[in-house]
């Protein structure tokens, strides 16, 4: 998922996707520890997705709220 696609989502959807991505990363780490994970590149991809989601959430929280300004 690219940053442009993430920006089109609502904040609640981004939070939900972030939770899912963190759970997926945890599953991948367990698979790595048990030797089940064949494609270790999935760990990197999962971490990058989490970083993108967090970055866009931080951008949204830093934006000034334009409502109420006259």
């Amino acid at each position: 998922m690219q940053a442009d696609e993430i920006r089109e989502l609502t904040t609640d959807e981004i939070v939900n996707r972030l939770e899912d991505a963190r759970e997926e990363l945890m599953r991948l780490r367990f698979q790595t520890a048990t030797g089940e994970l064949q494609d270790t590149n999935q760990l990197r991809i999962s971490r990058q997705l989490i970083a993108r989601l967090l970055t866009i959430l931080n951008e949204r929280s830093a934006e000034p709220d334009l409502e109420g300004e006259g």
Side-chain angles (χ1 to χ4, degrees):
M1 178 171 265
Q2 297 297 319
D4 294 339
E5 297 169 346
I6 297 171
R7 284 189 177 95
E8 293 174 2
L9 301 174
T10 65
T11 302
D12 290 335
E13 291 173 330
I14 293 174
V15 170
N16 290 336
R17 297 232 180 169
L18 179 61
E19 291 172 2
D20 293 342
R22 285 180 169 161
E23 289 175 12
E24 176 67 18
L25 181 60
M26 185 178 66
R27 263 186 257 113
L28 290 171
R29 286 180 175 161
F30 279 123
Q31 289 178 0
T32 301
T34 59
E36 297 175 16
L37 186 64
Q38 299 296 320
D39 184 13
T40 56
N41 194 36
Q42 290 177 342
L43 286 166
R44 179 177 161 263
I45 292 169
S46 183
R47 285 194 315 265
Q48 286 178 336
L49 176 60
I50 291 170
R52 280 190 193 107
L53 292 166
L54 287 172
T55 298
I56 293 170
L57 278 177
N58 286 333
E59 286 176 358
R60 288 186 181 186
S61 67
E63 289 177 358
D65 190 12
L66 297 179
E67 295 178 19
E69 290 185 19

